[in-house]
Amino acid sequence: MLSKWFLFGLTGLVLAALRPTAQAQTNPPAAPPIRADAIQQLRPIWQLDFADLPPAAGRVDSGWFAVSADGEQFALLNRDNRLILWDRTDGYQATAQADCGQPGGFIDGVFSPDRRWFGAIYVAGLTSYAAFYRLDDPKLAVTACGLDGLPSRLWFDADSRAWLEMLPNDPRQAAYVMRLTAAFQPTVDDRIPSGPESDAESFFRIGRVEPPLAVTATQAGIVKLWDLESGQITAQAQLPILPGVGQVNASGDQFAWMDTDYRELNVLDFHTGRSRSMTALNGKLIPFLLPTASADVIIGVTVGDAARILAWDTTSGQAFDLGSYRSCSRPADLARLSRDSSTLVIGCDQGLQAWRIVEGSP
C-alpha cells in the first residue's frame, strides 16, 4: 500500500506556495558559456566567505552547495542541518523549518529550471521526506512525508516536475524511480524500476553524475548510459579498462573518465564508441572532472594535492593551467558547473568561489 503523503502546513499555506507569483522574477543577463576558444579568459569573478554571512544563517563550514542553472542562486547547509539560500542579487534568505514532525538529516538538493523552487531530500530515522521551498518566499514550503524508503536522488525535469530515485526499506523490493505531481505528491502510476539499480550486469555506478543521467560499468569494462526517467540504456561502449572517476556532459554523449590508478584522463564519445586519451596523470587524482555542455572543454578541479584548476581542449588536446582557487583549510569539498556552463563554482570550508569567462581579459 502506498505510504501516506502530507502537505506541509495548512491548506491555505500550500495553495499559496503552489500559486504562481503575480510578478515574474527578473533574470539577470545571461553570462557567456565556458568554451574552448575563451578558456584562458576563465577568471574568478566573486566569492562568498562564510564568515560574512549574517548571524541568522548560523555557522557554515561545509563546502557543499547547489547552484541554479544560470549560476546566480545557491543553497548551503549550516551546522544545524538547516538550508540557507543565497542569491547574488538579494543575498541571504532564510528558509522554512520544513520537516514532518521529526527533523531529518539532509541528503541532497537541487534548483528547478524555472527558478521557482528548491527541492531537498531528508532521512529521519526509519523514514524520509522531501521538501520544496518557494524561491520568491523560502519561508513557504511543501513537504512530502513518510516516503517509502530512502530517496537517493532528486531532480527536476525540463518542465520543473520533481522526480525521486528511491531505495525501498524492504531489501526484497527493487529500487524505483517516480515522478511527483505538480503539487509534489506521488502517484502509483508514475513508478518505474530504476534501470541502473536493476541491471544485473552492472558492477558499479559512477558517482556524481547528475540525474536524470546515470552511468554504470560492468566488470568487462562496458559502460552504459542510462535515462532514469525511462529506465532505459541510451548508449553503451566498451572501454579497455574499468573507469574509476568520471562525468558526462549535460546531454550525456561525452564521458570524461580516469582509470582506477589515475594514469590517464580520457574522453569517451558514446556516439562513436571511441575513447581517446587526453593527458597522462601519473597517479594524480582529479576528484572533480567537469565537461562543459558542448564537451569542447573538460575542467579539472584539484589536481593531486594541489588546489589548482586545469582545463583541456578536447579537440586539440591542449592543456591550460588556470591557476589556484581560493584559499581553504582543506581541499575543495565540491566543484560544479552551472547547467548553462557559464559558471564554475568551487566550495570549501571557507566559502564559495565562482569563475566565469571575462571577455577581453588577457
Side-chain angles (χ1 to χ4, degrees), residues 190-201:
D190 278 341
R191 287 190 181 189
I192 62 170
S194 169
E197 299 300 323
S198 302
D199 184 36
E201 291 184 347

Side-chain angles (χ1 to χ4, degrees), residues 334-357:
L334 187 60
R336 281 177 163 159
L337 276 178
S338 59
R339 187 73 177 177
D340 65 1
S341 284
S342 70
T343 313
L344 166 66
V345 187
I346 301 164
C348 69
D349 60 328
Q350 301 296 310
L352 305 182
Q353 187 179 58
W355 294 54
R356 281 180 173 168
I357 296 293

Side-chain angles (χ1 to χ4, degrees), residues 218-251:
T218 70
Q219 288 183 298
I222 297 174
V223 289
K224 302 180 182 182
L225 179 68
W226 298 84
D227 173 17
L228 292 174
E229 294 173 8
S230 67
Q232 300 299 309
I233 299 170
T234 59
Q236 65 181 41
Q238 176 73 60
L239 294 182
I241 54 177
L242 283 174
V245 177
Q247 184 60 271
V248 292
N249 64 335
S251 63

Side-chain angles (χ1 to χ4, degrees), residues 43 57 74 142 168 179 201 203 228-229 268-269 335:
R43 299 283 187 273
F74 302 85
V142 178
R179 186 179 73 164
E201 291 184 347
F203 179 51
L228 292 174
E229 294 173 8
L268 167 67
D269 185 329

